[in-house]
Amino acid sequence: MTWNDFAGGRAVDPVTFVAAASTLLESAVAAAGGGEATRADFIAGLQAGLSTSGPYATLRLDAGLADQDVRGELRENAIAVSEVVLDLVRTVPGTGAPGPSDIHSSCVGYAWIPPVVERLIAGPGLHAARNLYNEWLWQLVLLRDALIPFTDPSRVRVLADTDGLTRLQDARDWFAVQVMTRRIAHAAIVRFAAEAVTGGYAEGAYGFQHGGAVVLPPVALDGELLGSAYLLSRYEGTLVAEDTAYFVQGQEEGESAGTLSAPARVIGDVEVVSLTDRLVPGPPGPGATRTLSLVVGFDGHEWTADLGRALRGHRYAARPAASEDSPATATAIDAWSGCAVLQQDGEVAVPEGGVIPTGGQRALTLALLGRLRPGNVVLYTGQEVGGQRILLDIRS
């Protein structure tokens, strides 16, 4: 007897998955002698397993390389996603279907908290209870981990089958190694998210489309400029005709680099105009890949930036903490218009630094991040910033 109706593979939301997995929980409780106290102990064991620190954590995010913005984003989101899963476990009713009396669990042997140990080794005849509890714990850890890349976990649809999410075992192990032991690449986050949702991935992708929805870093569509740079959001709708496509950065070989000259002398001399924007897909590429271009326009003129490069620039841009003593406006500094950057060919260098006002326009800022050479660009909100930096003034 199985614990779900996902045979053949189905895209399921977290509510549906947790409701199905509750069959395992109720069967484990019954096999361990029943009672609300037993159920509460098992849920407490799950809570300890979903922690990102401590001896029972199944994914440690309190260690590893320090001073990584990406690690901070993942840790905070893992905590939030864990709370989502735990809330569903406590509140979502089960399917009512009878559960298995025993199961062969693929669990990798996560540690049990002492109350669970007491429940599951208290006497003979508890072999089935141990298997059922292990499988329930394992499935919900896989669910939590599959949702970590997403800012909106309740809206995500993961690809499950008769074995739940066990198909993600190798991908999850690979992802865990990345986040716990290495400098985390954005492509690694996207790869694991794609495997959870589509069952596949493309090397180096920064987003994907599947099942009538687009998954991209939130700033690519309507997210805040100072919001997440590494996580992903799901948007209903499509950008390309294929059901599944992976979005990759365009080629850079052989492109020229421009250098800005003749700036205005003060920021007040630069007029900021409102731009329209849209995303334009490139032709289909190998392995179901596509490029996306961010096209911004004003008064009959249009400029294009590769979205992959723009998102890379967004990740690399510095975000110094704002100071209460920072000036409200920048004066006596070289200033440039955004159009001066966008009308150049290829990548643009600003060797002496300066400020580029954007009026807080997300698309204009993102397009500039796709054209400016990474390394000394700051998302500027009035901070004190030293050195020869390119200040993208994102204040409206």
Side-chain angles (χ1 to χ4, degrees):
M1 179 184 296
T2 186
W3 55 273
N4 63 65
D5 60 355
F6 305 151
R10 279 179 51 195
V12 299
D13 61 20
V15 171
T16 302
F17 192 88
V18 169
S22 69
T23 300
L24 291 169
L25 173 61
E26 298 310 325
S27 294
V29 169
E36 284 302 310
T38 301
R39 190 174 190 275
D41 284 343
F42 286 175
I43 293 176
L46 172 66
Q47 182 173 6
L50 295 183
S51 173
T52 58
S53 62
Y56 306 104
T58 53
L59 186 66
R60 293 289 297 269
L61 291 173
D62 59 337
L65 297 176
D67 299 325
Q68 288 191 66
D69 291 340
V70 59
R71 184 175 300 281
E73 282 195 18
L74 285 175
R75 181 174 58 251
E76 291 178 11
N77 209 52
I79 293 169
V81 169
S82 296
E83 288 302 317
V84 169
V85 172
L86 286 166
D87 185 61
L88 292 176
V89 168
R90 295 180 179 120
T91 61
V92 172
T95 62
S101 58
D102 199 352
I103 196 169
H104 174 72
S105 177
S106 300
C107 177
V108 295
Y110 294 135
W112 298 343
I113 63 173
V116 170
V117 173
E118 293 177 9
R119 297 283 182 187
L120 295 180
I121 65 170
L126 292 171
H127 180 76
R130 291 191 288 270
N131 285 343
L132 291 161
Y133 173 79
N134 274 341
E135 184 66 10
W136 174 73
L137 180 67
W138 165 240
Q139 292 294 333
L140 292 184
V141 167
L142 287 172
L143 176 65
R144 188 278 307 268
D145 293 351
L147 298 176
I148 287 175
F150 298 93
T151 63
D152 45 2
S154 63
R155 300 179 62 243
V156 175
R157 306 293 184 267
V158 292
L159 181 60
D161 57 26
T162 303
D163 294 323
L165 292 174
T166 298
R167 67 172 186 84
L168 285 176
Q169 180 171 352
D170 290 344
R172 188 267 175 191
D173 289 347
W174 177 86
F175 181 65
V177 169
Q178 306 303 307
V179 302
M180 290 195 293
T181 66
R182 301 183 182 183
R183 186 166 295 277
I184 307 161
H186 183 252
I189 298 172
V190 178
R191 170 176 165 172
F192 183 53
E195 289 191 273
V197 171
T198 75
Y201 68 93
E203 289 289 351
Y206 58 81
F208 54 91
Q209 175 182 298
H210 180 74
V214 171
V215 174
L216 285 169
V219 74
L221 292 172
D222 59 7
E224 297 290 334
L225 285 165
L226 294 178
S228 171
Y230 299 94
L231 301 176
L232 302 168
S233 292
R234 181 183 187 273
Y235 301 85
E236 295 289 345
T238 60
L239 292 173
V240 298
E242 305 93 294
D243 179 65
T244 300
Y246 303 99
F247 302 127
V248 297
Q249 184 174 312
Q251 297 296 316
E252 298 185 57
E253 290 82 6
E255 293 188 356
S256 60
T259 301
L260 292 187
S261 59
R265 293 309 303 172
V266 294
I267 193 170
D269 293 339
V270 177
E271 180 184 1
V272 181
V273 297
S274 296
L275 302 181
T276 61
D277 66 276
R278 68 187 193 277
L279 293 179
V280 177
T289 58
R290 289 264 200 165
T291 59
L292 289 175
S293 295
L294 172 62
V295 179
V296 295
F298 165 73
D299 195 25
H301 299 280
E302 287 190 331
W303 301 276
T304 299
D306 179 78
L307 182 62
R309 286 182 234 180
L311 293 170
R312 179 187 65 184
H314 185 246
R315 293 193 299 273
Y316 288 173
R319 306 180 184 192
S323 169
E324 294 181 359
D325 299 326
S326 296
T329 58
T331 59
I333 186 173
D334 286 350
W336 317 84
S337 72
C339 294
V341 176
L342 296 176
Q343 69 188 7
Q344 301 292 313
D345 293 328
E347 191 177 66
V348 178
V350 188
E352 301 300 323
V355 63
I356 305 173
T358 69
Q361 295 180 81
R362 178 198 57 82
L364 173 57
T365 305
L366 200 56
L368 292 169
L369 288 167
R371 299 293 295 280
L372 293 167
R373 183 173 295 171
N376 66 335
V377 179
V378 176
L379 295 179
Y380 180 70
T381 58
Q383 312 97 314
E384 291 286 357
V385 180
Q388 293 180 336
R389 301 291 197 99
I390 305 170
L391 309 181
L392 289 185
D393 191 338
I394 61 173
R395 294 172 295 182
S396 57

